[in-house]
Amino acid sequence: EADIYQTPRYLVIGTGKKITLECSQTMGHDKMYWYQQDPGMELHLIHYSYGVNSTEKGDLSSESTVSRIRTEHFPLTLESARPSHTSQYLCASSEYRRDTDYEQYFGPGTRLTVT
Amino acid sequence: KNQVEQSPQSLIILEGKNCTLQCNYTVSPFSNLRWYKQDTGRGPVSLTIMTFSENTKSNGRYTATLDADTKQSSLHITASQLSDSASYICVVFDRGSTLGRLYFGRGTQLTVWP
């Protein structure tokens, strides 16, 4: 079982509010990721980080921002939530292993609903 | 167009029966192919990882096969259980950059009925 945690698990919030989705891992992994997933659709990478003070945008354009001040912590922030941000947000981390290459471990996800 | 296509989109089977899920991909170059299980409201959990040189890999009642020539993979579930109800996602990994790139399928939603 992977030691990667996300809070909150569920969030319903009004339009225009600022929100931060928390992600923490205790495995010491350098690489961390944020994915967005809509029902019945594939996961889309929105942010990733190689390590502390490193953040990059992913394939899917997102109005969210991320920070990586500590290895174990990779929060995602939306300055002004909109209904179009309603989705499931999954955090993941990875390490290089000789037998599995970059094995990714996923958190349980945050289901965000913006009304 | 998604580079990883899965079929069927959804499947219902009775408990104890076997089933096979399909994955076709066009990702190239290709480092490895992974199958994940995602329970409703949870994150994906890895079931198997196969490199291009492997034809089959098992994990308990789950057996994955890979044909790198035709770019096809399958996941066979034997003696299904109610707890197998989940989405099964095929993921292709391309280690073409420092980070590597994961290509996700949309998943097959499996429902096991008692």
Side-chain angles (χ1 to χ4, degrees):
Chain A
E1 181 105 0
D3 295 322
I4 182 164
Y5 310 98
Q6 290 185 243
T7 58
R9 293 294 318 282
Y10 303 92
L11 179 61
V12 180
I13 201 162
T15 298
K17 300 290 186 184
K18 177 181 178 178
I19 59 170
T20 297
L21 308 185
E22 301 287 349
C23 175
S24 295
Q25 50 98 3
T26 58
M27 298 171 283
H29 292 167
D30 286 327
K31 294 180 172 59
M32 295 190 73
Y33 315 79
W34 275 102
Y35 292 90
Q36 186 173 337
Q37 183 184 29
D38 292 318
M41 302 297 288
E42 65 268 38
L43 277 72
H44 289 287
L45 181 68
I46 53 175
H47 298 283
Y48 59 94
S49 167
Y50 289 111
V52 172
N53 294 325
S54 153
T55 60
E56 302 286 345
K57 288 191 178 295
D59 306 315
L60 183 67
S61 175
S62 174
E63 293 165 351
S64 59
T65 59
V66 293
S67 62
R68 190 91 183 274
I69 299 172
R70 303 198 315 264
T71 297
E72 62 271 21
H73 196 213
F74 191 38
L76 181 147
T77 298
L78 274 166
E79 290 293 332
S80 180
R82 294 209 301 266
S84 61
H85 296 139
T86 295
S87 188
Q88 167 136 321
Y89 293 85
L90 289 162
C91 179
S93 68
S94 72
E95 63 172 353
Y96 179 78
R97 287 174 50 178
R98 205 173 135 188
D99 55 340
T100 61
D101 219 315
Y102 285 100
E103 173 74 82
Q104 287 213 354
Y105 300 91
F106 288 87
T110 294
R111 167 65 63 185
L112 173 65
T113 302
V114 184
T115 61
Chain B
K1 182 175 172 8
N2 197 358
Q3 296 194 51
V4 180
E5 299 285 349
Q6 292 188 241
S7 62
Q9 188 175 9
S10 62
L11 180 64
I12 300 174
I13 61 173
L14 295 177
E15 186 179 13
K17 298 296 185 183
N18 304 336
C19 67
T20 300
L21 315 179
Q22 301 290 342
C23 174
N24 295 338
Y25 62 92
T26 58
V27 177
S28 182
F30 150 77
S31 296
N32 57 57
L33 185 144
R34 309 156 182 213
W35 283 93
Y36 284 86
K37 178 186 179 187
Q38 185 176 22
D39 292 312
T40 301
R42 309 289 299 181
V45 175
S46 180
L47 293 175
T48 64
I49 296 179
M50 289 184 292
T51 65
F52 62 87
S53 61
E54 295 179 288
N55 299 120
T56 184
K57 182 166 277 191
S58 292
N59 177 2
R61 295 179 297 101
Y62 301 102
T63 299
T65 65
L66 173 64
D67 185 334
D69 291 331
T70 61
K71 292 185 167 55
Q72 295 179 324
S73 176
S74 66
L75 180 69
H76 186 75
I77 304 174
T78 303
S80 60
Q81 301 175 356
L82 298 180
S83 59
D84 292 333
S85 293
S87 178
Y88 291 84
I89 304 172
C90 176
V91 185
V92 179
F93 179 64
D94 163 25
R95 197 184 355 130
S97 63
T98 305
L99 179 71
R101 168 80 194 274
L102 289 177
Y103 295 83
F104 291 84
R106 295 184 177 180
T108 291
Q109 184 64 48
L110 175 66
T111 304
V112 181
W113 283 2

